[in-house]
Amino acid sequence: MATGRTHRPATRSRGIPEATVARLPLYLRALTALSERSVPTVSSEELATAAGVNSAKLRKDFSYLGSYGTRGVGYDVEYLVYQISRELGLTQDWPVVIVGIGNLGAALANYGGFASRGFRVAALIDADPAQTGKLVAGLPVRHTDELEEIVERNQVSIGVIATPAGAAQEVCDRLVAAGVTSILNFAPTVLSVPDGVDVRKVDLSIELQILAFHEQRKAGEDLGEAVARGTLPKAAEEAADRPGPDGDVPAVMPA
Amino acid sequence: MATGRTHRPATRSRGIPEATVARLPLYLRALTALSERSVPTVSSEELATAAGVNSAKLRKDFSYLGSYGTRGVGYDVEYLVYQISRELGLTQDWPVVIVGIGNLGAALANYGGFASRGFRVAALIDADPAQTGKLVAGLPVRHTDELEEIVERNQVSIGVIATPAGAAQEVCDRLVAAGVTSILNFAPTVLSVPDGVDVRKVDLSIELQILAFHEQRKAGEDLGEAVARGTLPKAAEEAADRPGPDGDVPAVMPA
DNA sequence: CCATCTTTGTGCACGCGTTCACAAAGACAT
DNA sequence: ATGTCTTTGTGAACGCGTGCACAAAGATGG
Ligand SMILES: NC(=O)c1ccc[n+]([C@@H]2O[C@H](COP(=O)([O-])OP(=O)(O)OC[C@H]3O[C@@H](n4cnc5c(N)ncnc54)[C@H](O)[C@@H]3O)[C@@H](O)[C@H]2O)c1
Ligand SMILES: NC(=O)c1ccc[n+]([C@@H]2O[C@H](COP(=O)([O-])OP(=O)(O)OC[C@H]3O[C@@H](n4cnc5c(N)ncnc54)[C@H](O)[C@@H]3O)[C@@H](O)[C@H]2O)c1
């Protein structure tokens, strides 16, 4: 998963487990697709497949929201779409500001999936005076000086940070001081925020590193298994034997 | 967290828990920063703070890699950087292809954080003939027809998908068929892949929806508590009372 | 060499999340 | 009305992840 939430110490918000909340958008997406195809009802099995999860998990997830299914039939698609939307707070509009209109920020601003789910880009903000006033995705880029005013006037509670890492904490502090209580951070830094403020991060580099780990493991597996079976010549065996904690590796980094 | 991994049923790869693997890049980033400041050693407490985690968790994480610390002193920064890099497979170069060079794909191509950690953009691929040959981040965009050849020739095992959702599964299938075994998916779709292929997804929309959920909860909290204390007039009380499973809500979605 | 002090490494307990498996609910046919 | 068949909702068991708390390791100073 390309996301990691900040430590929210097992806060079951109104009885809905955090893990379930994270899956609701997935169900919603699958349900919306069914709704567009005018499918009236769907079974937990079908929906689970569409959402890429286990059907028992899906049923348990829905059970936290209440009993919205009909035994022998399944779930009413429209009704479920409404219930999940309501639970996620998508029946209202959420004004969002994006700070840092560079490569990534501009891509985010142009992203259609934003508006499609009740999120409205209230403003684009950048510190570079050369950017100020430029139109990105039809919106004028505003200068950082106006940040507080924009947040307050538009009642923005969700902020997206797409600045370089060095500027992220400062931007975060200003957003929070101005009233933002939820932050989506694309900069590769750990943000510290006061209690009551949620931070979620998206870090491409971390995702790739996790993939690399598994990739390496896959590559080493065949070799490793061969070693275990003793079907390799001695030399290859030693090469495959990863240096263990016994420390026969150089204490310097080769790069 | 903006990331979700696809169902890897508790595969403790070589005894390192998945949760630990996901944190290693975080530690590595903090350690690299210390290394650049020529800090020789660091305690679990300091490093944990820098990485935004609990110190006990960090120590336990490191214990899976072996005993690399010195009691009473802490961890040798350079040595730890090397060990984690090795564990994550970052001592080798990983060629990566990006498919779908639109707003997002171009931003990713321009992203510096790619190359800084052993990931090398081997090629940019797009289906639009108008894009073919255009330079993005100094690399020429190649046409989808060449996908298989590019992947095979460059021994690419990691692919990034930044196409529209509708094209993602097809692109995924082609990447996998050509030999890619790890995929980072930015398109809002569930990808189905054969066993042995890892998929991680980054979904901005899901992240925002999770934030919206908590945001809504925060907003409703004061009101909800007031209701519980019975300090609200009847009308407001009923308005605050969210419709329960008893179903006094319309079965249609208001939007 | 001994005492003291710092910090690691981990045993242990607890809670969350996942999954199995099944009873009961309800649709539908007869 | 009764029986059959499908599918939900959930009890219960299990495993993973987290965090506390502490013993042991080792550095440091006398
Ligand atoms: N581009 C990607 O694909 C990508 C991927 C993952 C993470 N990131 C991260 O996202 C962030 C942005 O990446 P990018 O490629 O768009 O960088 P960029 O340099 O293209 O854009 C950064 C923008 O932030 C603005 N900025 C700088 N300081 C600011 C401040 N204090 N207040 C407001 N705006 C400020 C700059 O003027 C610039 O327009 C970086 O932290 C990067 O590491 C980018
Ligand atoms: N832009 C964002 O911030 C953002 C955020 C989250 C998710 N996404 C998702 O990322 C994807 C890309 O977003 P975008 O804004 O860059 O869209 P875009 O339309 O700007 O770019 C899509 C690119 O993919 C190419 N393409 C289409 N079909 C292809 C195929 N079969 N093979 C190869 N290339 C193909 C198109 O030619 C185009 O260049 C979308 O699925 C979007 O939902 C984007």
Side-chain angles (χ1 to χ4, degrees):
Chain A
M1 105 199 132
T3 254
R5 69 171 171 281
T6 335
H7 50 128
R8 165 168 289 272
T11 308
R12 281 215 180 179
S13 338
R14 172 140 146 278
I16 301 185
E18 193 57 32
T20 296
V21 173
R23 281 188 294 268
L24 290 181
L26 233 53
Y27 302 145
L28 185 55
R29 185 200 294 159
L31 285 164
T32 305
L34 290 171
S35 172
E36 276 163 12
R37 289 195 286 133
S38 301
V39 177
T41 61
V42 65
S43 73
S44 63
E45 199 67 54
E46 294 168 312
L47 186 53
T49 305
V53 302
N54 177 305
S55 74
K57 196 187 295 190
L58 177 142
R59 286 199 300 276
K60 181 145 287 189
D61 282 343
F62 285 174
S63 79
Y64 293 115
L65 311 184
S67 295
Y68 294 146
T70 307
R71 294 169 191 234
V73 176
Y75 299 89
D76 183 287
V77 172
E78 295 299 327
Y79 187 58
L80 208 44
V81 164
Y82 169 70
Q83 290 298 344
I84 296 180
S85 295
R86 188 175 58 80
E87 201 63 56
L88 287 172
L90 303 181
T91 49
Q92 62 185 284
D93 237 47
W94 294 102
V96 171
V97 293
I98 304 177
V99 187
I101 314 302
N103 285 309
L104 183 62
L108 296 175
N110 277 300
Y111 180 45
F114 246 123
S116 75
R117 284 248 172 283
F119 300 97
R120 182 171 48 82
V121 179
L124 308 177
I125 303 175
D126 200 290
D128 186 355
Q131 297 273 335
T132 310
K134 229 167 78 176
L135 283 186
V136 173
L139 285 172
V141 175
R142 316 278 292 273
H143 190 264
T144 327
D145 291 345
E146 303 179 80
L147 187 148
E148 284 78 10
E149 192 204 320
I150 294 170
V151 168
E152 282 158 26
R153 186 189 308 247
N154 294 84
Q155 299 257 28
V156 175
S157 51
I158 301 179
V160 176
I161 298 180
T163 65
Q169 182 63 60
E170 190 211 319
V171 167
C172 172
D173 291 342
R174 289 183 62 181
L175 286 172
V176 169
V180 165
T181 47
S182 286
I183 288 177
L184 183 52
N185 180 32
F186 285 87
T189 337
V190 175
L191 293 180
S192 75
V193 292
D195 277 0
V197 176
D198 278 307
V199 177
R200 296 186 67 86
K201 67 169 185 292
V202 176
D203 194 319
L204 172 62
S205 174
I206 287 183
E207 295 308 313
L208 285 175
Q209 288 174 55
I210 296 172
L211 285 176
F213 172 85
H214 293 298
E215 201 58 45
Q216 186 188 38
R217 202 175 49 78
K218 284 180 213 162
E221 211 157 69
D222 328 325
L223 193 54
E225 279 169 12
V227 170
R229 269 188 255 102
T231 52
L232 273 185
K234 257 283 149 60
E237 200 167 308
E238 273 169 40
D241 188 11
R242 325 273 285 337
D246 33 85
D248 55 345
V249 283
V252 286
M253 193 185 149
Chain B
M1 134 176 107
T3 255
R5 68 170 171 283
T6 337
H7 51 127
R8 164 169 290 272
T11 309
R12 280 216 181 178
S13 338
R14 169 135 149 281
I16 300 186
E18 194 56 32
T20 296
V21 173
R23 280 188 295 269
L24 290 182
L26 233 52
Y27 303 144
L28 186 55
R29 185 200 293 159
L31 285 164
T32 304
L34 291 171
S35 172
E36 276 163 11
R37 289 197 286 133
S38 300
V39 177
T41 61
V42 65
S43 73
S44 64
E45 199 67 53
E46 294 168 311
L47 185 54
T49 304
V53 301
N54 178 305
S55 73
K57 197 187 296 189
L58 177 142
R59 286 198 299 276
K60 183 148 288 188
D61 283 343
F62 286 174
S63 79
Y64 293 115
L65 312 185
S67 295
Y68 294 145
T70 307
R71 294 169 191 232
V73 176
Y75 299 90
D76 183 287
V77 172
E78 294 299 327
Y79 188 58
L80 207 44
V81 165
Y82 169 70
Q83 290 298 344
I84 296 180
S85 295
R86 188 175 57 80
E87 201 63 55
L88 286 172
L90 304 180
T91 49
Q92 62 185 283
D93 236 48
W94 294 101
V96 172
V97 293
I98 304 176
V99 187
I101 313 301
N103 285 308
L104 183 61
L108 295 176
N110 277 301
Y111 181 44
F114 246 124
S116 74
R117 284 250 171 283
F119 299 98
R120 182 172 47 83
V121 180
L124 308 177
I125 302 176
D126 200 289
D128 185 354
Q131 296 274 335
T132 310
K134 228 167 78 176
L135 283 186
V136 173
L139 286 172
V141 176
R142 316 278 293 272
H143 190 264
T144 324
D145 291 345
E146 303 178 78
L147 188 147
E148 285 77 9
E149 192 204 320
I150 293 169
V151 168
E152 283 159 26
R153 185 190 308 248
N154 293 81
Q155 299 257 29
V156 175
S157 51
I158 300 179
V160 175
I161 297 181
T163 66
Q169 183 64 59
E170 190 211 319
V171 167
C172 172
D173 291 343
R174 289 182 63 181
L175 285 172
V176 170
V180 165
T181 47
S182 287
I183 287 177
L184 183 53
N185 181 31
F186 285 87
T189 338
V190 176
L191 293 180
S192 75
V193 291
D195 276 0
V197 176
D198 278 309
V199 177
R200 297 186 67 87
K201 66 169 185 293
V202 175
D203 195 318
L204 172 61
S205 174
I206 287 183
E207 296 307 314
L208 284 175
Q209 290 174 54
I210 296 172
L211 286 177
F213 171 85
H214 293 299
E215 202 57 44
Q216 186 187 39
R217 201 174 50 77
K218 285 181 213 162
E221 212 156 67
D222 327 326
L223 193 54
E225 280 168 12
V227 170
R229 267 188 256 103
T231 53
L232 274 183
K234 258 282 150 57
E237 199 168 310
E238 272 168 41
D241 189 10
R242 327 273 285 335
D246 33 86
D248 54 345
V249 284
V252 285
M253 195 186 147

